[in-house]
Amino acid sequence: MAGDGYLPLFETRRAKEVIFYRVFAVSVFVCIFLIWVYRLSHIPNERDHQNGRLTLWVWIGLFAAELWFGFYWILTQALRWKRVHRQTLRNRLSQRYESELPGVDIFVCTADPKIEPPTMVINTVLSVMAYDYPTDKLSVYLSDDAGSDLTFYALMEASHFCKHWIPYCKKFNVEPRSPAAYFIKVGEARGDDHKSQSKDLAAIKRLYEEMENRIQTATKLGRITEEIRMKHKGFSHWDSYSSRLDHDTILQILIDGRDPNAVDNEGCALPTLVYLAREKRPQYFHNFKAGAMNALIRVSLKISNGPVTLNVDCDMYSNNSQAVRDALCFFMDEEKGHEVAFVQFPQNFDNVTKNELYSNSFRIYNEVEFEGMDGYGGPIYCGSGCFHRREILCGRKYDKETKIELKRGNDSKREESLLELEETSKALASCTFEANTQWGKEIGLKYGCPVEDVITGIWIQCQGWKSVYCKPERDAFLGVSPTTLLQFLVQRKRWSEGDFQIMLSRYSPARYAHGKISLGLRLGYCCYCLWAPNCLPALFYSIVPSLYLLKGIPLFPMISSPWIIPFAYVMFAKYTCSLAEFLWSGGTALGWWNEQRLWLYLRTTSFLFAFIDTILKTLGFSESSFVVTEKVADEDVSQRYEKEIMEFGAASSMFTILSALALLNLFCMIGAVKKVIVGDGYVKFYETMLLQILLCSALVLINWPLYQGLFLRKDNGKMPSSVTTKSLVLALSVCTCFTFLY
C-alpha cells in the first residue's frame, strides 16, 4: 500500500477550457433542438409550392438526417466533455525501481513483404531493440504472417547489425533509433551537433547501407540465393514451404538474450530476438492479425514471459527511446497502477504533408478526443503503440483487492536447450492449438472482427480494468500514412466496417458495456462505432437540397424568417469551433479545409461501402476480410503527394461515386445561376434559397481537386477516363430526370 510519503509516478490534470466549452456546447444543442422543432412544426403540403411538389418524404428525410446529425453531434461531445492530460515522472520510476524493472516483450507484426518492405520492417525492429531499457529485460518478436524467407533474411541481417547499432545509440543518446529515420535526420541537420561523432557516424552509416543493399538486392531478386541459405540453418524451414497460406510453423530464436555469448561489440547483453511465422493451412481460418497476436502471446510466454507486452505495426517505428519507462510509470504507480490494463500512445506519422492532404495526422484524435475518453476511464486500444499487462491479455479478471506484481526481473531459469525451446514453442503456434479453448473469446485478442484491437479494448474495460492515454512531448511512435486517396478510403472503410460490426455484435458498447463502463466512455465508443451509418444522412444532404435548388424549391427557412437563426448558428458555431480546435492542435487553416473534404469523401464512399458490407455480413451474405494498407508508393506518386496534389489514378467505384456527386452539385449550381438570370431575379431567389445556395456552393468549392482531376490535369494521377465518363453520365442523368420528370 502507498504510505504517507507516497509520491505518484504520473500526474493528471483536467483541461482548463472545459467549462467554457460546455457552455458553448449547450448553446449549440439548444439550436439543434430548435431545428428539430422547425421541421416538425412546418411540415409542408402540396399546395405550399407553385413550382413543384415538395413531397412529404423529402421533408421527413431532411428531419431524419438532421435528427441523426444532432444525435451524432451529442456523441462527439462526450469526447470533449471531460478531457484530461497525463504527465509521467520517469525520474521517480528510476529512483525507486531501476533494479526491479519488469521484462518487456515487444511484438512487431508484418503480413506482406511486397506491401511492407523488409527494410522498413527491420528498421522498426531495430528501433525497439534500442530502447533506453535494460537489454536483458527486452525481448523482440517479429510475426511474419506471409512466412517470407526475404523477411527472415532481413531480420537475420538486423540481428548482426544491432551489435553495432544498440551501443551506438546508447553512446550518443540518439533519437530516433530507427536507423533509416536517424540518418535522414542527421543528413538534414548538417550542423555542429554531430561533428563529435563523425567517425562513428560514418562507420555505422556504412554498415547500415551495406546491410540495406544486401536486403534490397535479395528483395529485387525475389528469392534467397543458395550462398546465403548455406550460412544459416533457419532457411531449411522453407524446404517444405508450399505457400504463405500452407506451411509449417517457422520459429527461430536469432538472439538468445540469456546466452552469455549474446553480446554487442562492447560486451553488453543483447535483447532476445525471435522470428515467428505461425502455421497456416488452407482448411483452417487464421483470424488475421488477431490470430498472429495470440500466437505471439503464447510463444513469448514460453520463451521470455515478460509481464508487460508492447505491440507495434511494422511501419510504426519507435521515435522515443523513453516510451517504455513512460508506460511503466502508469503500471507501477503504487496507488493507481493496479487498475491500469493497457497504456495507449498516439499514432503519429512522419510522412504527413504540411497541410495534411489526406488528413492523416490524426490531429483531433490525438490532441482532443483520446484525452476526452481518458477522462472517462481510458482510450480505445488502437492496435499499435500499446503496452499491455500480459496477465490481463491472458484473461485475468479485475479484482480491486488484488494487485499484479510487476517489480521483478525476467530471471527465471531455463533448463531447455535453445533447440528444444524452439521445438516446444512451435506447437503453441500451430493451427490446431486453439481448438476447444477460450483463445479469441476469453483469452487474448478477440476474433470475428476486422478491428480486433477495439473490440479487445472494450472487453478488457468491461472487466473492470482501466486504460490510460499517454502523449509524451516527443512522439513515441511514427508510422507511414497512406499517400493516395484510394489507400486512405480503403483503410478507413475497413476501420469503419469493423467498428460498425462491433456495434451490431454482442460486444456493442450500447448493450454489452451497459453498467460496466461509464456512460461517457460508452458514448465515446459509439461515436466511432457509428461512423458507417453517417453515410445515409450525408448522401441525402449532398444530393437532395442541391436538386431542389435546381428546381427553385426551398427546403430551409427564408432569410427573413426567425427560424433561420438556429440553422445559421449551428452551421457557424460548429465549423468555427472545428477550425479553432484544429488550429489549437497545431494544424493549418488549409489543413482543416482538407480535413473537411476528406470527411465528406469518407461519408459518401468508405462509410457507405462499410455500411453495406456490414449489413450483408450480418445477414450472412458475405465474410469478413482484412486488407493490409500499402506502405510503399511509386516515385511519381510520392512526388505528387509531397506537392499536395491529390491522387486519382485508379479506376474505382469509390471515385465514380465521388465524381458523380461533385458533378451533380456543379450542374445544380450552374442551373441555379441560369434560373436567377432568366427567372425572377437575384433578390427573390436569394431570400428563399440562401441556405441551399451556401450548401451547394460549399460542396462545389470543396470538390475543386476533383474537378481538376476530372478535366484539367494531364499527369498519371488524373481521374481515369472511364470514371470520368461514368460519373458524367450518372450526374447528367439524375439532373435531367429530376428536372423534366419531377
Side-chain angles (χ1 to χ4, degrees), residues 139-160:
S139 299
V140 180
Y141 296 78
L142 175 64
S143 170
D144 178 14
D145 246 18
S148 169
D149 55 354
L150 295 172
T151 302
F152 175 74
Y153 171 61
L155 191 66
M156 187 183 73
E157 287 282 358
S159 70
H160 301 310

Side-chain angles (χ1 to χ4, degrees), residues 19 29 150 289 374 404 512 544 548 558 592 667 707 721:
I19 295 177
F29 178 73
L150 295 172
K289 183 180 175 182
D374 202 6
I404 301 176
Y512 177 77
V544 175
Y548 276 79
M558 295 177 60
W592 172 81
F667 296 155
Y707 301 136
S721 57

Side-chain angles (χ1 to χ4, degrees), residues 589-659:
L590 184 54
W592 172 81
W593 181 246
N594 287 335
E595 183 178 68
Q596 305 313 302
R597 177 185 302 115
L598 268 299
W599 272 117
L600 173 66
Y601 291 177
L602 286 172
R603 287 170 175 162
T604 53
T605 56
S606 300
F607 294 175
L608 174 64
F609 285 95
F611 182 82
I612 294 171
D613 285 354
T614 301
I615 297 300
L616 291 176
K617 180 181 181 297
T618 303
L619 297 175
F621 294 113
S622 66
E623 296 292 334
S624 292
S625 61
F626 189 96
V627 179
V628 179
T629 305
E630 192 167 349
K631 307 301 192 304
V632 291
D634 295 336
E635 185 177 349
D636 60 331
V637 173
S638 298
Q639 290 176 353
R640 286 192 290 273
Y641 175 70
E642 291 169 2
K643 295 176 182 177
E644 299 192 332
I645 300 173
M646 196 162 275
E647 189 73 24
F648 301 109
S652 166
S653 54
M654 289 187 176
F655 288 165
T656 302
I657 293 174
L658 290 179
S659 301

